[in-house]
Each structure stands twice: as structure tokens, then as C-alpha cells.
Amino acid sequence: MLMLVDCSNCRTQLQLPPGAKSIRCALCLAVTRIAQPRDVVAPVHPPAYLSSTSSNNYNSNYDHSYQAPLPPQLQVPSSYVLPRQPASVNGQRRAVICGISYTGSRNQLKGCVNDANCMKYMLINNFKFPESSIIMLTEEEKDPLRRPTKHNIRMAMYWLVQGCQPGDSLVFHFSGHGSQQRNYNGDEIDGYDETICPVDFETQGMIIDDEINATIVNPLPHGVKLHSIIDACHSGTVLDLPYLCRMDRTGKYAWEDHRPKSGVWKGTNGGEVISFSGCDDDQTSADTSALSKVTSTGAMTFSFIQAIERGNANTYGDILTAMRSTIRKTDGGLGGGAVSSLLSLLLTGGSLGSGMKQEPQLTSNESFDVYKKVFSI
């Protein structure tokens, strides 16, 4: 079991590997030293650069397997418990945006970094998110700790919800590969966990829906709202939320109950989570230039932003139907593409079938009238 400690500089929650005497924060680069539980934890600010040698040594010692949240009976020492995020987070709005192209690999995509940049632009200009409250994780980032590795995505998700309070609005956007793997704890209706693929997933593994739910959904307190936009294959229930809005092509819908039969709670701690995803769990999402006509984008991200830009975002139902309509009009030019389909086949050991269509999905921690609930970030 890893010990959870707070970064002594930015308060991000960090997972301390067994026996480690210090840990470097992936976000602010400060080093938190760990001595005895009662000792004072002092920040050490590193130089502007981080040597590749020290970074590699750290990653080799890090346990990349999923760790369950710390049980209530194992409390973090009081000396590590620090107050709410510093003022630089700007309190009310914050976002984590991941765009992964897997450059130079057999799984390379073209439009995911474009998706990330467009999402950032929209949040800043349409919804007044301060740029300083947005963490970008792409392969274009010069800081090695802002690359979309498994460890960095994990730390960014912890940062997103750390110290959130009533009135806060959070956004998690991911554009990249998604997949499935067999579920062994019985909490999936179809028998598969959904996953997102970090840039280093071939060596460090994928991030499964159980971990995403435990990190950014389960701890969310009353009065806090989280919107998730996941543009990836097999992403329908990738946040493991209790309810999925099953909508037909006429716009009629019914909420499906996806709560595990085991009784494990997959909702929040009183907060609100609504997720738009690129496709159903058994579908693939397109990386295409058929929509923008100019450059490659994720079909889901493009249609989501377009719905907002064109005024088709009064309600959640309006957005979902607008997104589906946009993608449906270009169905012939979409499809998962050779890379997406091959990746899915290799990772799941499944059959791709034929004529698979991409239909964006809506999930939530609670059911509601999608045509009456006003969309707001």
C-alpha cells in the first residue's frame, strides 16, 4: 500500500513509493522530503530543468499498478495535510486537457493535439477559464512532466479535484486511444473495463475506468460540478458513472442503470458529474479531417465544440443530438480508421465486425431530463 502525501508546495496529492525518502511533484517540480512522520516537510525547489537521468530513476521505482484509495483507518499523518489549492488555481474553475498523438509509434493519431488546443481555446474564450488554471498534457509540451504519461495523467487527475469546494467547475478532457480489458471483479455489465491509453501505455499500462472513477468522481463533494469530454474508442462508460442516457435516432431516450450488482458505489460524494464520450463501449471513435475539411480532429471533440459555437447547447439533450447529427452526416467518411481498429483488436482480442457507427454518449452520476437541464460549465 502506498502512502498518500501532499506536495509541500502546491498541495497536490502524491503516492509515495515504499521506502522512498522524497518525491518530486509532477506539476510544480517541488521535492517533498519524507523523514519521520512528525518531522517538518520542507519544499525544495529544483532548477528550471530536470535531468533525464533523475526522471528515469524515479519512474523505474514508481509502482504503476492501480492503487485503491487509502482506507479510512489508515489516515495520512496530520503533518502532511495541507489546506486548499493555492491562489494560482484561481479557485472557481480548473481543467485538465490531454491530447495524445503517440508520435512515432504504430498507433499514431493525427488530430488529438489539435483537439486539446481547441478545447483549451474554447474554455478560455467561451467559459472564461483562466489559462493558469488549465493543465495541458500533450507531446508538444517542452516540460517532460507535462507529457501525457501514465504517471503525469494520474497526478493531473489528483490535482483537478484536490481541495475543490462548492461552486467550483472542473473539466477533464482526453483525446487519444481508448480500449477495453477483461473485468474480474464483476462490476461491469458487459464484462469489460474501459480504459484510456497514456502515451507510454505499451510499457506502463492503461488507466482503467475504476481508477478514473475513484480519482475524480467518487471524492467530488456537494456543490462541485465536473464535466468530462472523452474522445476515444470504447469510451461510453469510461468514468464508470451509474447512469447512461440511451438515446435513439429520433431523440427519444431512457436512462440505463449501470450501478454494479455488487453494490459498490460509483457515484460522487454529493457533487455532480456529467460525461460526454465519443462512442459507445463497443464502438470506435474517428480521427478524421472529414469534419473540419482543413486538418485532422477527433470527430467527437469537433462536434462538441461546434454544437457550442453554433448555439446548439442550451440543454444537454440539445448538445448530444447536435453532436450525433454532425457525425451522422459524415458517417461515410468516418469509421475508426486502420490504426484505431487495429489497436482495439490487439488489446481486446475481440472481433471488429463491420459497419460500426460512432454515436456519442452521455453518462451521469444521476438521471435527469436532458431536454430541460440547462448546459453550463
Side-chain angles (χ1 to χ4, degrees):
M1 176 67 69
L2 298 187
M3 176 181 287
L4 298 182
V5 300
D6 287 335
C7 171
S8 54
N9 181 56
C10 73
R11 281 78 167 170
T12 297
Q13 196 174 59
L14 308 174
Q15 291 183 331
L16 185 70
K21 295 181 179 180
S22 66
I23 186 169
R24 186 187 299 276
C25 178
L27 301 176
C28 72
L29 303 185
V31 174
T32 299
R33 296 176 186 250
I34 310 298
Q36 298 300 320
R38 299 188 183 207
D39 288 350
V40 176
V41 179
V44 177
H45 298 282
Y49 63 91
L50 177 65
S51 71
S52 60
T53 302
S54 62
S55 176
N56 289 337
N57 287 343
Y58 173 74
N59 285 336
S60 65
N61 293 328
Y62 180 75
D63 182 0
H64 292 271
S65 61
Y66 170 57
Q67 298 294 328
L70 197 65
Q73 66 269 26
L74 298 177
Q75 297 297 324
V76 176
S78 59
S79 59
Y80 300 144
V81 179
L82 299 174
R84 177 173 162 80
Q85 290 281 345
S88 61
V89 178
N90 295 297
Q92 295 301 311
R93 299 175 187 272
R94 70 183 88 161
V96 169
I97 299 176
C98 304
I100 313 178
S101 296
Y102 312 91
T103 305
S105 76
R106 60 178 179 171
N107 307 311
Q108 186 167 335
L109 297 172
K110 296 179 180 180
C112 297
V113 175
N114 290 335
D115 290 344
N117 291 330
C118 289
M119 185 62 65
K120 178 182 178 181
Y121 181 88
M122 185 192 71
L123 290 179
I124 293 173
N125 290 278
N126 292 59
F127 298 101
K128 309 305 178 186
F129 273 61
E131 186 171 4
S132 59
S133 73
I134 299 175
I135 286 183
M136 293 284 288
L137 298 175
T138 74
E139 290 137 299
E140 293 185 349
E141 295 293 317
K142 295 180 180 179
D143 185 344
L145 297 181
R146 295 299 177 96
R147 285 179 55 79
T149 63
K150 184 175 184 178
H151 176 67
N152 290 347
I153 293 175
R154 280 174 159 175
M155 292 299 99
M157 289 195 297
Y158 278 120
W159 171 85
L160 183 63
V161 300
Q162 174 73 14
C164 57
Q165 294 183 356
D168 286 355
S169 177
L170 316 176
V171 171
F172 178 68
H173 173 247
F174 178 89
S175 179
H177 281 305
S179 189
Q180 293 177 300
Q181 63 183 38
R182 291 194 181 279
N183 168 261
Y184 295 101
N185 62 9
D187 67 354
E188 294 285 348
I189 294 177
D190 61 358
Y192 286 91
D193 284 314
E194 283 64 51
T195 68
I196 57 175
C197 300
V199 69
D200 56 353
F201 77 94
E202 289 185 294
T203 57
Q204 304 302 331
M206 299 176 283
I207 300 176
I208 67 171
D209 49 11
D210 292 324
E211 178 174 357
I212 299 172
N213 182 276
T215 305
I216 64 175
V217 174
N218 204 248
L220 211 66
H222 177 75
V224 178
K225 180 183 290 187
L226 167 67
H227 283 89
S228 173
I229 302 98
I230 309 293
D231 196 345
C233 297
H234 310 291
S235 55
T237 61
V238 74
L239 260 65
D240 252 5
L241 293 170
Y243 299 100
L244 181 145
C245 178
R246 185 66 69 189
M247 181 180 289
D248 64 22
R249 292 202 166 198
T250 68
K252 295 181 180 179
Y253 73 93
W255 287 96
E256 287 184 356
D257 189 343
H258 281 246
R259 289 176 293 180
K261 294 181 180 180
S262 64
V264 174
W265 177 240
K266 292 290 187 175
T268 69
N269 192 29
E272 181 179 15
V273 180
I274 297 175
S275 178
F276 289 96
S277 51
C279 59
D280 210 346
D281 287 345
D282 61 353
Q283 295 178 333
T284 58
S285 290
D287 181 56
T288 179
S289 59
L291 290 168
S292 73
K293 309 297 183 183
V294 176
T295 188
S296 293
T297 64
M300 181 269 182
T301 299
F302 180 93
S303 62
F304 177 79
I305 293 175
Q306 184 184 79
I308 293 172
E309 294 285 348
R310 293 188 175 180
N312 297 321
N314 293 324
T315 68
Y316 289 90
D318 291 338
I319 294 178
L320 188 60
T321 54
M323 291 170 63
R324 289 183 165 198
S325 176
T326 297
I327 292 176
R328 196 174 297 133
K329 290 175 182 177
T330 51
D331 254 350
L334 294 179
V339 172
S340 297
S341 298
L342 177 61
L343 178 71
S344 301
L345 182 63
L346 291 173
L347 293 177
T348 64
S351 175
L352 292 175
S354 60
M356 190 175 291
K357 302 297 182 181
Q358 176 179 351
E359 294 185 329
Q361 302 295 321
L362 177 70
T363 57
S364 176
N365 68 301
E366 58 185 8
S367 59
F368 56 86
D369 188 329
V370 300
Y371 294 116
K372 290 185 178 180
K373 188 175 181 65
V374 176
F375 171 73
S376 65
I377 292 183

